[in-house]
Amino acid sequence: MFSVAGILVLALILGASIHVDYYAIGPGGTFDTTTLISVPGGKGYPSSGEVAFPTVSQGRVTALGAVRGWLDPDVDVIKANRIVPPKTTDSQVEQFNQQLMDNSKEKSTAVALEHLGYTDAVHGTGAQIVQVLPGSAAAGSLASGDVIVAVDGKPVTLDVDAVDAVSAKGPGDTVHLTVRNAAGATREVVVTLGKGPSDPKRGFLGVTLQTADLAFKDPFPVKIDSEQIVGPSAGLAFTLEVLDQLTPGELTGGHRVAATGTMELDGRVGDVGGVPQKTASVVSGHYDLFLVPSGEYAQARQRAGSKVKVVAVDTLDQALAALSALGGNALALQPLPAA
């Protein structure tokens, strides 16, 4: 006969050794971009402030780990299929997230350089159609693999060029597209726009896009060491630190700032996920300011309470304005000399 104590010990042993189909997502700490980004050749400027980005830790859990996570308000325990899609391995997910980090570093550097006057830091040959949504305005006129090279006669080199041009129109408006197919031949296509699913007042073409032949040209040898960190959520922080290191003065006014959000080629800041856990890391790190995408502001504000000032940003310009209000020179950055 097992005693009650013996049964409890056995349950704990089994609970600590049996893995269940769940992941635990918790605070992962913060990383100071000052130590990760460098500008060789004496072209960088030191600063006394700090721009950091918070991370999350995640991993499969045992039964005991799942219970611990459910009891911890800073940990989310979720089904594994929300992290690793069916027929996908952990290593494939890791590889995908590494690709996102690599792309994030390139985009973050390019956006910073363009902000400082290098308009040719990003190169593309048009907006390539990845998918045409069934029943959309584009269905029947455009196909996957087509590349939009002009909208209403205005050249398109990046996907954001096409997005901005179409979004400026309303439902029922016509848009004139110059389209290049896989063989290199071009044709003219006229499409009457539908209603946007998230904004019915905005014209909707009904395609997903990526920049064709996307390439980056860095006139300064900016180096970003992401260590073992993966994913795109450090984009905003990387861009801010590159700006700080390439220009004299104090971008943050000497303050310690944390930031999370993807950085898109048009300067938009995108949502990242895991914001409650990231905010917990920012709170424990005693930062002066936390910049977050506006779509995740409520989560961050709730977790931060009165311990850290949280500011919502949708664009790089809004992030720079927030740093200027903190006492930094973010709105007075001088263009860089020719490389």
Side-chain angles (χ1 to χ4, degrees), residues 163-237:
V163 172
D164 290 344
V166 171
S167 297
K169 292 177 172 286
D173 289 344
T174 57
V175 61
H176 294 253
L177 308 175
T178 304
V179 180
R180 184 180 71 233
N181 64 20
T186 60
R187 69 184 190 277
E188 300 299 318
V189 177
V190 179
V191 178
T192 301
L193 300 176
K195 293 183 179 180
S198 59
D199 185 355
K201 296 181 180 180
R202 182 171 291 182
F204 185 63
L205 184 59
V207 297
T208 55
L209 300 170
Q210 66 181 13
T211 298
D213 305 312
L214 179 62
F216 301 91
K217 178 183 178 182
D218 299 338
F220 288 92
V222 177
K223 294 184 178 180
I224 302 179
D225 179 7
S226 54
E227 297 184 345
Q228 301 301 312
I229 309 160
V230 297
S233 65
L236 174 59

Side-chain angles (χ1 to χ4, degrees), residues 14 24 41 44 98 115 122 161 207 220 227 250 267 296 323 331:
L14 290 174
Q98 183 60 60
H115 186 82
V122 183
D161 297 334
V207 297
F220 288 92
E227 297 184 345
E250 294 286 346
E296 297 169 311
L323 296 183
L331 296 183

Side-chain angles (χ1 to χ4, degrees), residues 15-26 57-69 75-94:
S17 59
I18 298 176
H19 281 78
V20 292
D21 199 26
Y22 284 87
Y23 269 73
I25 301 176
S57 63
Q58 69 177 37
R60 292 184 184 271
V61 293
T62 62
L64 182 59
V67 173
R68 287 174 175 169
V75 175
D76 285 337
V77 179
I78 62 177
K79 290 288 291 184
N81 60 14
R82 291 177 57 188
I83 302 294
V84 181
K87 299 181 180 180
T88 305
T89 65
D90 287 348
S91 62
Q92 288 174 323
V93 172
E94 182 76 9

